[in-house]
Amino acid sequence: MLITDAQRRARLMRRAHLDASSRAADAVEAAATMVGLHATTPSTVHLAAWARVGPGFTRDSVDTALYEDRTLVKHLAMRRTLFVFPRDVLAESIGALGPRISASERTNMLRDLRRSPDFDDPEGWIETARQAVLAELAGGESLTSTELRERLPALDGYISHGAGTSWAGRAPMGPRVLNMLDAEGAIVRGPNRLGWHLSRPAWTSMPLWLGETLPSMSVHDGHCALIRRWLRTYGPGTETDLVWWLGSTKTAVRAALAELGTVRVDLERGGVGHVLPDDLPDGTGIDGGGDGPVEPQAVLLPELDPTTMGYKERGFYLGNHTAQVFDSVGNGGQTAWWDGRIVGGWYRRPDSSIDIIPLEPLSRDARRALDARADELAAWLGDEPMKTGYAAPYARGL
């Protein structure tokens, strides 16, 4: 069976809540559908939810979910990237990726500690620092990285780097211990001490923050769960897409695909994609809309949005705009979409208005719709500040 690029774009618009008729009820549903919202830049969470939730959505509703209801949780996961997950997806992520990421964090720390003359027992230092953090947070208190280092001498270690160069300096090891503990699911970024578009998390015990211990899951079962969710929203996708997106191995991905009984389909651009067995292109599909066309509409997505970053092989929605949208290390900037494709970018002017930056000739309908959506975003943001972290190449010099 063949799935065309147009069918893939229609599927993505419907299932990623980008089609106006398929909006999510709230940020929690949006995060569940997208298998997490990127959170490296704090404002991305709110903007990604705004693009997918219906009218009346507010920034405060995201903060309520994160810090009061705690139905959304920040966690270091796929590709060692910070995401926001609902609790069930969080458990699956920790099961699938926690052992791999936490072990990688520990290995990288050991490498740097062994190169430093200031640490006689690198393995002992990591374990002592780890236990000190867990003991300090066992009472339920929330403390920033700086506060933890001030309280815990065992955590306040530094390594020197760049000796004899212009970038020589000292780097604290404490934050890296915290990331290791986050990846394994022991601690979590709790309250944010800054505004919605900035980040200064206070760390706390994950079981105490959630009020429960998440169910444990094997690496294989976690992979199966995450890949099933991914295919529901992003499918069809290739093995290459899944290995990259998860930051995992071909062996683990292939085992999960076999367990799920996925069906192989041909893709218009060549290669083989996978779909779930109840989501074939010759049926109505899981969303009830089949693979028929979606009415062209304007979409504005933030940097590192999960739709932009959801695939390794992006040609069916990115075209030839890779060098303009993605920086040299693969971070995608703010994007403007029309008819299921990236056709431009956007940026916020000093007067808080939003300007569309076309990357190709736009039809009159496309330009009008994108400008109207830009006005909606500008009104939603108001005069609130918004800090971005990864400017796209097209935005340089603006």
Side-chain angles (χ1 to χ4, degrees), residues 302-326:
E303 60 188 300
L304 303 178
D305 185 86
T307 300
T308 307
M309 302 293 295
Y311 306 81
K312 176 67 171 178
E313 299 175 319
R314 307 175 174 119
F316 75 97
Y317 65 89
L318 183 58
N320 61 357
H321 301 316
T322 300
Q324 296 161 295
V325 173
F326 287 83

Side-chain angles (χ1 to χ4, degrees), residues 95-175:
L97 305 170
R100 179 180 177 85
I101 298 174
S102 60
S104 175
E105 292 292 304
R106 185 177 184 277
T107 297
N108 290 337
M109 280 194 288
L110 280 173
R111 177 199 61 209
D112 292 339
L113 290 171
R114 286 168 177 159
R115 291 173 178 171
S116 173
D118 299 324
F119 297 87
D120 296 330
D121 180 13
E123 292 190 7
W125 185 89
I126 292 175
E127 185 58 26
T128 299
R130 180 182 183 277
Q131 293 299 330
V133 172
L134 294 177
E136 188 67 23
L137 298 180
E141 193 171 4
S142 298
L143 299 167
T144 67
S145 174
T146 300
E147 290 168 343
L148 281 167
R149 297 202 309 271
E150 289 173 348
R151 289 195 187 188
L152 303 174
L155 190 65
D156 194 29
Y158 289 79
I159 59 170
S160 299
H161 57 79
T165 69
S166 59
W167 45 272
R170 299 171 72 234
M173 294 297 292

Side-chain angles (χ1 to χ4, degrees), residues 372-397:
R373 191 62 170 156
D375 290 342
E376 292 176 13
L377 178 55
W380 184 78
L381 287 170
D383 293 328
E384 283 284 320
M386 186 187 75
K387 183 178 180 180
T388 57
Y390 299 94
Y394 72 74
R396 292 170 186 160

Side-chain angles (χ1 to χ4, degrees), residues 325-336:
V325 173
F326 287 83
D327 65 20
S328 60
V329 293
N331 298 306
Q334 298 172 159
T335 53

Side-chain angles (χ1 to χ4, degrees), residues 25-376:
D26 52 29
V28 178
E29 182 183 358
T33 300
M34 302 311 299
V35 204
L37 301 178
H38 283 249
T40 304
T41 300
S43 61
T44 297
V45 178
H46 301 73
L47 291 168
W50 171 83
R52 295 173 169 85
V53 179
F57 173 74
T58 65
R59 291 187 297 276
D60 288 344
S61 68
V62 178
D63 291 337
T64 297
L66 282 168
Y67 309 121
E68 295 180 26
D69 298 340
R70 303 173 189 179
T71 48
L72 290 176
V73 183
K74 291 185 177 181
H75 177 64
L76 195 69
M78 292 84 78
R79 306 183 309 281
R80 198 186 169 277
T81 298
L82 188 64
F83 283 83
V84 162
F85 294 118
R87 293 192 184 198
D88 52 353
V89 187
L90 174 66
E92 295 163 2
S93 173
I94 293 172
L97 305 170
R100 179 180 177 85
I101 298 174
S102 60
S104 175
E105 292 292 304
R106 185 177 184 277
T107 297
N108 290 337
M109 280 194 288
L110 280 173
R111 177 199 61 209
D112 292 339
L113 290 171
R114 286 168 177 159
R115 291 173 178 171
S116 173
D118 299 324
F119 297 87
D120 296 330
D121 180 13
E123 292 190 7
W125 185 89
I126 292 175
E127 185 58 26
T128 299
R130 180 182 183 277
Q131 293 299 330
V133 172
L134 294 177
E136 188 67 23
L137 298 180
E141 193 171 4
S142 298
L143 299 167
T144 67
S145 174
T146 300
E147 290 168 343
L148 281 167
R149 297 202 309 271
E150 289 173 348
R151 289 195 187 188
L152 303 174
L155 190 65
D156 194 29
Y158 289 79
I159 59 170
S160 299
H161 57 79
T165 69
S166 59
W167 45 272
R170 299 171 72 234
M173 294 297 292
R176 297 170 65 176
V177 174
L178 300 178
N179 280 334
M180 180 186 70
L181 289 167
D182 174 19
E184 69 182 56
I187 65 174
V188 65
R189 290 167 174 81
N192 181 23
R193 300 282 182 84
L194 297 176
W196 70 280
H197 67 293
L198 300 170
S199 179
R200 185 177 294 163
W203 294 90
T204 192
S205 161
M206 181 177 286
L208 294 177
W209 178 254
L210 299 181
E212 63 177 343
T213 299
L214 292 174
S216 61
M217 185 172 292
S218 71
V219 171
H220 174 69
D221 288 346
H223 273 76
C224 289
L226 290 179
I227 289 174
R228 182 187 293 110
R229 289 181 183 275
W230 189 93
L231 288 173
R232 287 292 186 203
T233 298
Y234 300 88
T238 66
E239 181 184 287
T240 298
D241 289 328
L242 284 162
V243 170
W244 176 84
W245 178 78
L246 281 163
S248 189
T249 66
K250 287 184 179 180
T251 299
V253 168
R254 287 172 178 172
L257 291 173
E259 177 83 13
L260 295 170
T262 57
V263 178
R264 294 156 65 93
V265 296
D266 290 326
L267 303 177
E268 180 179 334
R269 291 175 177 264
V272 175
H274 292 262
V275 295
L276 294 170
D278 62 349
D279 192 27
L280 303 181
D282 57 353
T284 58
I286 57 172
D287 58 14
D291 295 333
V294 172
E295 180 181 355
Q297 51 204 289
V299 174
L300 299 183
L301 297 181
E303 60 188 300
L304 303 178
D305 185 86
T307 300
T308 307
M309 302 293 295
Y311 306 81
K312 176 67 171 178
E313 299 175 319
R314 307 175 174 119
F316 75 97
Y317 65 89
L318 183 58
N320 61 357
H321 301 316
T322 300
Q324 296 161 295
V325 173
F326 287 83
D327 65 20
S328 60
V329 293
N331 298 306
Q334 298 172 159
T335 53
W337 298 59
W338 175 253
D339 198 16
R341 297 189 306 110
I342 293 176
V343 298
W346 60 273
Y347 82 104
R348 198 179 188 210
R349 300 189 187 100
D351 65 1
S352 297
S353 62
I354 304 293
D355 194 19
I356 302 297
I357 309 299
L359 299 179
E360 62 184 64
L362 300 179
S363 68
R364 181 176 298 179
D365 287 346
R367 185 71 208 214
R368 286 176 175 173
L370 287 167
D371 286 341
R373 191 62 170 156
D375 290 342
E376 292 176 13

